[in-house]
């Protein structure tokens, strides 16, 4: 795998579903459309693929008890995850040169490193992995707030030879301070741990675009010192205002920044490319028009 070859990823699912009129509310977030309007999920995947995304991500992010409740997760979680995988797979196969990333979400809530329960990881992740496995080309543990969670997820993955990508969410601090995960752990320590565990890519997502460049530079320096040219770097920011330390993903619907239109976002992406990122897409609030700008200009 050429770590310099740029892959454009897709953008956020939840806000795009809402924009298309799909049922959308907290706490279910993007899972609600999967339950009630799966055809809209397909449409969003198609829009991203048509915009130039080389990787589309399964709509399995909110399929955890934190979002859909313990009872519904137990009864329907695996079936819904299989549907999420199937919808993405069908679109990817129709489009041709598009891969499917199986989204493995933070099992206990976005940004909530304090809620991580190592003893329950297998219980919650195994049904998702089992359901997604037939449909995905790679695994993506995304919006990880602490080092321990992706390591625990990796231990549960089948020995299928599929790449394993890990994307961390960063503290939305002012640029210039040392980049940290939302757990407070240093990016340098996270990169060291995940590279040692054999991940194929390390990304940063669901945080301000302003904090990502510094994290990429730290990650690149760590990998260079370890002579790890086989680990790719990537980024996909959200379009929210800075999130406070006590923020959680199902408190409400955040406003979208007005200064992150497609060309504005492209400017940040060009900086990430310059800092070594070869996997670039968008998170919450970044839509197909942003991805089209990335695909047409960065490639």
């Amino acid at each position: 795998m050429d770590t310099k070859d740029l892959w454009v990823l897709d953008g956020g699912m939840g806000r795009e579903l809402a924009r298309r009129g799909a049922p959308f509310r907290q706490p279910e977030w993007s899972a609600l459309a999967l339950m009630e309007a799966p055809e809209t999920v397909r449409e969003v995947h198609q829009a991203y693929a048509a915009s130039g995304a080389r990787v589309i991500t399964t709509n399995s992010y909110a399929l955890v008890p934190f979002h859909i409740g313990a009872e519904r997760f137990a009864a329907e979680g695996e079936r819904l995850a299989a549907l999420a995988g199937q919808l993405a797979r069908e679109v990817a196969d129709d489009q041709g040169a598009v891969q499917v990333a199986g989204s493995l979400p933070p099992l206990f809530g976005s940004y909530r490193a304090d809620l991580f329960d190592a003893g329950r990881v297998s219980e919650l992740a195994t049904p998702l992995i089992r359901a997604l496995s037939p449909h995905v080309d790679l695994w993506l543990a995304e919006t990880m707030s602490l080092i321990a969670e992706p390591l625990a997820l990796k231990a549960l993955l089948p020995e299928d030879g599929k790449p394993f990508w890990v994307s961390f969410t960063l503290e939305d601090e002012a640029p210039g301070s040392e980049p940290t995960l939302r757990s407070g752990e240093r990016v340098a320590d996270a990169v060291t741990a995940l590279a040692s565990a054999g991940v194929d890519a390390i990304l940063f997502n669901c945080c301000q675009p302003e904090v990502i460049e510094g994290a990429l530079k730290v990650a690149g320096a760590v990998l260079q010192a370890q002579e790890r040219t086989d680990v790719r770097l990537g980024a996909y920011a959200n379009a929210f205002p800075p999130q406070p330390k006590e923020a959680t993903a199902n408190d409400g619907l955040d406003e979208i920044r007005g200064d992150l239109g497609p060309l504005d976002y492209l400017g940040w992406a060009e900086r990430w490319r310059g800092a070594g990122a070869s996997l670039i897409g968008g998170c919450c609030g970044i839509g197909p028009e942003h991805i089209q700008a990335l695909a047409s200009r960065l490639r």
Side-chain angles (χ1 to χ4, degrees):
M1 180 189 297
D2 183 359
T3 58
K4 302 300 183 184
D5 179 26
L6 178 73
W7 288 18
V8 174
L9 314 180
D10 61 4
M13 175 61 73
R15 296 303 181 123
E16 190 61 21
L17 287 168
R19 191 165 75 164
R20 291 168 183 266
F24 181 73
R25 62 171 183 260
Q26 295 288 31
E28 292 94 340
W29 195 253
S30 56
L32 191 60
L34 197 62
M35 300 168 191
E36 299 181 5
E39 191 56 40
T40 314
V41 176
R42 186 197 307 272
E43 291 173 7
V44 174
H45 286 317
Q46 289 170 333
Y48 282 125
S51 296
R54 185 168 175 178
V55 178
I56 57 175
T57 305
T58 60
N59 184 30
S60 47
Y61 186 87
L63 296 180
V64 291
F66 187 85
H67 283 286
I68 66 173
E71 184 175 341
R72 178 172 268 169
F73 177 81
E76 298 186 72
E78 188 164 347
R79 179 188 67 80
L80 290 168
L83 176 59
Q86 179 184 342
L87 290 169
R89 180 78 266 156
E90 289 172 355
V91 171
D93 288 347
D94 286 344
Q95 293 289 330
V98 174
Q99 296 201 38
V100 174
S103 173
L104 300 177
L107 300 173
F108 307 98
S110 302
Y111 311 162
R112 294 300 303 271
D114 59 309
L115 297 182
F116 178 70
D117 183 351
R120 297 191 65 209
V121 170
S122 179
E123 168 198 347
L124 301 183
T126 298
L128 300 180
I129 293 169
R130 187 165 53 227
L132 292 170
S133 185
H135 308 292
V136 306
D137 299 297
L138 62 99
W139 297 102
L140 172 61
E142 56 180 340
T143 322
M144 298 286 107
S145 294
L146 72 166
I147 297 170
E149 187 160 11
L151 294 177
L153 289 170
K154 186 176 189 300
L156 297 173
L157 292 176
E159 295 184 5
D160 54 13
K162 295 174 181 177
F164 180 48
W165 298 1
V166 173
S167 192
F168 289 108
T169 179
L170 303 167
E171 200 66 74
D172 285 326
E173 301 289 357
S177 59
E178 181 178 18
T180 62
L181 311 186
R182 294 190 189 268
S183 61
E185 295 166 303
R186 298 167 61 239
V187 164
D189 295 332
V191 174
T192 296
L194 272 295
S196 297
V199 301
D200 297 277
I202 297 171
L203 305 89
F204 302 102
N205 82 298
C206 210
C207 48
Q208 297 288 284
E210 288 86 347
V211 301
I212 288 179
E213 184 180 6
L216 287 168
K217 289 179 177 178
V218 168
V222 170
L223 294 174
Q224 184 176 19
Q226 297 180 358
E227 299 182 345
R228 293 297 304 274
T229 59
D230 57 323
V231 180
R232 302 182 73 162
L233 293 177
Y236 52 114
N238 64 29
F240 295 156
Q243 298 297 293
K245 289 183 182 296
E246 66 273 14
T248 61
N250 62 354
D251 280 346
L253 298 184
D254 292 296
E255 294 296 321
I256 297 296
R257 287 171 53 172
D259 61 346
L260 285 178
L263 295 182
D264 303 302
Y265 192 75
L266 173 64
W268 288 110
E270 288 172 332
R271 294 176 66 163
W272 304 335
R273 182 73 168 134
S278 62
L279 306 167
I280 301 179
C283 202
C284 310
I286 302 300
E289 65 279 8
H290 296 81
I291 301 308
Q292 185 172 26
L294 298 185
S296 62
R297 293 280 290 272
L298 288 183
R299 286 213 293 247

